[in-house]
């Protein structure tokens, strides 16, 4: 005690307080330094998630992360921002790291999709399959879910890579076949659900039924003769000719069978350049006498003009049917509109009225006595019959579509019994009667308390997938993701990339960063 007093007794209370303050300050500085380091690690991790997400949205390679990082560092140096460059240096973006970040993002999206399905009012699925660059069948399954407020989600549910022999083949029969197709498998397992063949595929099959395949084959043959395969010299000569003749178009278009709009675009370009093509064949291409004769034959030119016009009308319909989150009512409405147009076209051609056939009209005007196109009414009739036959499975939805489109003026007694009383209320509701909105926006206005059955019925109808358009867009992404130069992606990684690339859901990057207790910086 005596020694203690001798050693410390001389310190006053004030001096002891100064010592305590210095210790506190030192501890705070150490804690602040630790906090700053942790913050920098979190920021670097967050940046790596951001970059990974953008890479996958752009369908770029996993190894491109390092390239992005190096570019960012060089830009910082160019702006003399060395501190910023040093921060970029800490962002982990190796191929392995980007793969892990991708998996985290994909898993979060997948969990969110499962939550949406669990809490939605109704959902439907769309399935389609195609073969990738490594000859592996890829089956894509998308889900369309609708919430009580009529918010629609369309998300990738599953990618199934089918390496072994499958019981289905590429094409519509693999999905709609009643024996060996997907629909048949459902029935064999006593699963009863409404099924529809993609409305856009149906339209494309109707277009193929037009009996002018010989004309299309000639167009394809001439196009390939000029710019197909290894004919680069011939192609360059043709481009020079077009430039010399001051043509409206600079080149022919190649026809790709799998592209919905390809045939129409190819035909329009060929028809507009028919004179230049004839001149080129005559002057530059040997052994093309037969093809030259075709381009001078009135019958061939009539077929070409009509095929171009009717294909363009079909392309307009195809474009209307494309797009995400469309309701079955909208899409059937587009088809019904085209079927009415077909009756109009037939009536016009019966009188040789070419108002709706611009190429036919142009060709006819080039002849002094004009040209007759009345004989093409038979093709219009056959096309109309094909539409009736192929869209027959949508007829079961016709009463629902009619009610959905016009609930204010529908015949109540012909509607389902459980909806009739609420329809009486609805048709006498002043606020709804004066509303200018239509379609799904109208049904959003219905009070859940006053119209629970009608809202539930509308939600169910709006949940229906009427096409596999979303699958087709995903297949386009697949071609970019898994190409000849990137054909060794594992099935799991491919699934993660497609999920992130196609998703419309927001990613909670902060929660991803928070899930890491000790995020590591790149060294």
């Amino acid at each position: 005690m005596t020694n203690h007093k001798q050693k410390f007794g001389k310190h006053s209370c004030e001096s002891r307080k100064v010592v305590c303050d210095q210790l506190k300050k030192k501890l705070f500085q150490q804690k602040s330094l630790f906090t700053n380091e942790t913050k920098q690690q979190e920021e670097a991790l967050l940046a790596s998630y951001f970059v990974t997400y953008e890479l996958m949205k752009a369908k770029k390679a996993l190894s491109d992360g390092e390239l992005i990082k190096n570019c960012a560092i060089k830009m910082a140096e160019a702006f003399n921002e060395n501190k910023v460059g040093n921060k970029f240096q800490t962002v982990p973006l190796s191929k392995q790291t980007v793969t892990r970040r991708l998996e985290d993002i994909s898993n979060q999206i997948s969990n969110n999709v499962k939550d949406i399905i669990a809490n939605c009012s109704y959902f439907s699925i769309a399935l389609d399959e195609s073969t990738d660059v490594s000859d592996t069948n890829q089956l894509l399954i998308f889900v369309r879910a609708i919430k009580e407020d009529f918010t629609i989600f369309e998300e990738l549910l599953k990618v199934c890579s089918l390496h072994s022999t499958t019981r289905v083949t590429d094409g519509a029969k693999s999905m709609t076949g009643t024996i060996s197709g997907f629909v048949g498998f459902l029935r064999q397992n006593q699963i009863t659900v409404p099924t529809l063949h993609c409305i856009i595929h149906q339209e494309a099959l109707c277009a193929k039924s037009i009996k002018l395949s010989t004309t299309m084959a000639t167009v394809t043959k001439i196009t390939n003769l000029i710019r197909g395969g290894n004919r680069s010299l011939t192609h360059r000569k043709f481009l020079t000719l077009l430039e010399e003749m001051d043509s409206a178009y600079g080149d022919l278009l190649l026809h790709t069978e799998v592209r919905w709009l390809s045939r129409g675009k190819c035909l329009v370009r060929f028809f507009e350049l028919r004179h230049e093509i004839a001149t080129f064949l005559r002057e530059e291409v040997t052994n093309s006498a037969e093809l030259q004769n075709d381009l001078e034959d009135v019958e061939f030119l009539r077929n070409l003009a009509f095929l171009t016009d009717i294909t363009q009308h079909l392309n307009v319909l195809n474009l209307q049917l494309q797009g995400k989150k469309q309701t079955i009512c909208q899409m059937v409405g587009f088809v019904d509109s085209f079927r009415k147009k077909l009756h109009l076209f037939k009536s016009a051609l019966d009188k040789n009225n070419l108002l709706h056939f611009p190429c036919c009209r142009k060709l006819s005007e080039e002849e002094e006595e004009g040209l007759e196109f009345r004989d093409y009414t038979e093709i219009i009739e056959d096309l109309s019959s094909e539409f009736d036959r192929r869209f027959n499975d949508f007829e079961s939805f016709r009463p629902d579509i009619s009610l959905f489109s016009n609930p204010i003026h529908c015949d109540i007694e012909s509607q389902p019994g459980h909806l009739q009383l609420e329809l009486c209320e609805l048709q006498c509701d002043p606020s709804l009667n004066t509303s200018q909105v239509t379609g799904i926006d109208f049904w959003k206005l219905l009070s859940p308390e006053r119209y629970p059955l009608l809202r539930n019925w509308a939600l169910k109808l709006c949940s229906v997938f009427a096409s596999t358009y979303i699958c087709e867009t995903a297949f386009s992404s697949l071609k970019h993701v898994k190409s000849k130069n990137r054909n060794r992606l594992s099935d799991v990684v491919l699934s993660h990339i497609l999920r992130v690339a196609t998703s419309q859901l927001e990613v909670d990057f902060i929660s991803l960063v928070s899930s890491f207790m000790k995020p590591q910086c790149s060294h």
Side-chain angles (χ1 to χ4, degrees):
M1 181 65 70
T2 303
N3 291 335
H4 180 80
K5 288 182 179 181
Q6 291 175 349
K7 187 174 183 179
F8 296 102
K10 60 181 179 179
H11 291 288
S12 64
C13 292
E14 183 177 349
S15 62
R16 287 198 297 272
K17 182 180 179 183
V18 171
V19 172
C20 289
D21 289 344
Q22 290 176 345
L23 288 172
K24 288 180 180 178
K25 185 177 181 181
K26 188 174 182 179
L27 288 172
F28 177 80
Q29 289 174 342
Q30 291 176 343
K31 183 178 180 181
S32 177
L33 178 62
F34 178 76
T35 303
N36 288 337
E37 289 179 353
T38 303
K39 182 180 180 182
Q40 289 177 9
Q41 290 176 339
E42 291 178 346
E43 289 173 344
L45 180 59
L46 182 61
S48 72
Y49 276 118
F50 283 160
V51 173
T52 299
Y53 181 77
E54 294 300 328
L55 283 173
M56 297 307 103
K57 280 296 184 181
K59 298 173 280 290
K60 297 299 182 181
L62 297 167
S63 57
D64 283 357
E66 289 286 0
L67 174 62
I68 298 294
K69 177 178 176 177
N70 292 335
C71 290
I73 293 172
K74 293 297 183 183
M75 284 189 287
E77 291 177 359
F79 287 106
N80 198 27
E81 293 287 350
N82 294 330
K83 289 184 177 180
V84 176
N86 291 336
K87 288 186 176 181
F88 288 154
Q89 188 69 50
T90 66
V91 180
L93 285 172
S94 67
K95 181 179 178 180
Q96 293 76 13
T97 300
V98 170
T99 302
R100 292 195 298 270
R101 302 291 182 263
L102 166 65
E103 182 180 1
D104 294 340
I105 296 172
S106 175
N107 287 339
Q108 185 188 92
I109 293 174
S110 178
N111 290 334
N112 289 342
V113 171
K114 292 175 183 177
D115 289 341
I116 289 172
I117 296 174
N119 296 295
C120 72
S121 298
Y122 292 97
F123 72 89
S124 63
I125 59 173
L127 305 93
D128 203 356
E129 59 97 16
S130 186
T131 305
D132 65 23
V133 68
S134 62
D135 293 328
T136 301
N137 279 354
Q138 301 290 351
L139 174 65
L140 302 186
I141 307 174
F142 277 83
V143 63
R144 176 186 174 108
I146 188 167
K147 296 173 66 176
E148 290 184 1
D149 62 354
F150 285 89
T151 301
I152 295 174
F153 299 90
E154 292 181 352
E155 293 290 326
L156 180 62
L157 187 63
K158 183 75 174 177
V159 179
C160 300
S161 300
L162 310 175
H163 295 276
S164 58
T165 303
T166 62
R167 297 185 64 185
V168 296
T169 57
D170 193 21
K173 287 296 183 183
S174 64
M175 295 297 129
T176 62
T178 55
I179 298 177
S180 61
F182 177 72
V183 174
F185 294 154
L186 290 178
R187 293 180 180 177
Q188 292 171 21
N189 288 276
Q190 287 77 50
I191 299 175
T192 304
V193 291
T195 58
L196 293 171
H197 182 185
C198 171
I199 199 168
I200 303 180
H201 286 175
Q202 298 278 54
E203 182 272 339
L205 291 172
C206 288
K208 289 183 178 181
S209 70
I210 299 174
K211 299 175 181 178
L212 291 173
S213 57
T214 303
T215 302
M216 190 66 213
T218 302
V219 169
T220 304
K221 184 177 181 180
I222 294 175
T223 301
N224 290 338
L225 183 65
I226 293 175
R227 61 163 300 179
N230 297 318
R231 302 183 181 276
S232 56
L233 178 59
T234 304
H235 187 206
R236 287 198 299 272
K237 289 181 178 179
F238 180 68
L239 296 179
T240 302
L241 175 68
L242 294 181
E243 187 175 347
E244 291 173 352
M245 298 181 70
D246 196 24
S247 299
Y249 294 96
D251 200 0
L252 285 172
L253 297 178
L254 291 171
H255 171 48
T256 306
E257 191 67 33
V258 296
R259 295 182 182 273
W260 288 324
L261 306 178
S262 173
R263 179 189 296 246
K265 293 179 179 180
C266 175
L267 284 168
V268 169
R269 188 67 60 88
F270 190 95
F271 180 82
E272 294 297 333
L273 294 175
R274 64 192 184 283
H275 297 303
E276 291 88 339
I277 294 171
T279 300
F280 182 76
L281 292 179
R282 187 168 53 252
E283 296 179 356
E284 298 290 345
V285 182
T286 57
N287 301 321
S288 62
E290 184 180 348
L291 297 177
Q292 293 176 40
N293 292 335
D294 285 337
L295 289 173
E296 295 173 359
D297 180 54
V298 174
E299 187 65 19
F300 171 80
L301 292 175
R302 287 172 66 246
N303 289 341
L304 174 63
F306 175 79
L307 182 60
T308 302
D309 284 333
I310 195 64
T311 303
Q312 278 299 94
H313 287 303
L314 284 162
N315 275 6
V316 171
L317 171 60
N318 192 287
L319 281 171
Q320 290 175 327
L321 295 175
Q322 293 182 36
K324 299 176 182 178
K325 299 185 180 180
Q326 292 201 70
T327 65
I328 186 175
C329 305
Q330 291 173 298
M331 301 185 78
V332 170
F334 291 138
V335 173
D336 287 346
S337 173
F338 186 78
R339 292 161 86 171
K340 282 186 176 292
K341 290 177 183 178
L342 289 176
H343 291 294
L344 178 65
F345 296 158
K346 178 182 179 301
S347 178
L349 286 180
D350 279 336
K351 305 169 187 175
N352 205 41
N353 180 350
L354 305 179
L355 174 64
H356 306 295
F357 295 85
C359 292
C360 294
R361 185 172 67 250
K362 186 174 184 178
L363 186 66
S364 181
E365 290 171 351
E366 292 178 359
E367 300 292 328
E368 292 184 4
E369 299 180 359
L371 293 173
E372 283 285 335
F373 286 89
R374 288 184 174 89
D375 51 329
Y376 290 97
T377 55
E378 183 178 345
I379 294 179
I380 296 293
E381 289 177 346
D382 291 343
L383 184 60
S384 181
S385 298
E386 188 70 8
F387 266 84
D388 293 341
R389 182 180 71 84
R390 288 200 171 275
F391 287 95
N392 185 59
D393 56 346
F394 285 87
E395 292 304 312
S396 61
F397 285 88
R398 185 70 61 180
D400 290 335
I401 293 172
S402 178
L403 173 58
F404 184 88
S405 303
N406 192 14
I408 297 296
H409 300 101
C410 71
D411 178 24
I412 295 178
E413 293 185 8
S414 63
Q415 304 306 322
H418 70 290
L419 301 178
Q420 291 179 358
L421 295 181
E422 288 189 8
L423 280 171
C424 290
E425 295 276 346
L426 183 146
Q427 292 188 357
C428 296
D429 189 327
S431 62
L432 296 176
N433 269 273
T434 56
S435 174
Q436 300 297 314
V437 297
T438 59
I440 194 171
D441 290 329
F442 173 85
W443 293 92
K444 290 179 182 179
L445 300 177
L446 271 62
S447 166
E449 293 76 22
R450 189 174 180 184
Y451 304 105
L453 297 179
L454 280 174
R455 278 183 65 95
N456 185 66
W457 170 86
L459 286 167
K460 184 177 181 180
L461 187 63
C462 290
S463 70
V464 176
F465 259 128
S467 80
T468 57
Y469 172 79
I470 194 168
C471 295
E472 296 296 337
T473 59
F475 284 133
S476 296
S477 298
L478 175 62
K479 290 180 180 179
H480 289 285
V481 171
K482 194 173 182 180
S483 61
K484 291 181 179 179
N485 297 325
R486 298 168 61 194
N487 59 6
R488 301 189 68 179
L489 287 171
S490 69
D491 295 341
V492 174
V493 172
L494 177 63
S495 177
H496 288 325
I497 295 175
L498 286 179
R499 175 170 288 113
V500 175
T502 60
S503 179
Q504 300 298 311
L505 298 179
E506 291 187 3
V507 177
D508 186 354
F509 294 103
I510 301 301
S511 68
L512 289 174
V513 172
S514 300
S515 65
F516 280 76
M517 298 300 294
K518 292 182 179 180
Q520 298 296 315
C521 289
S522 176
H523 299 288

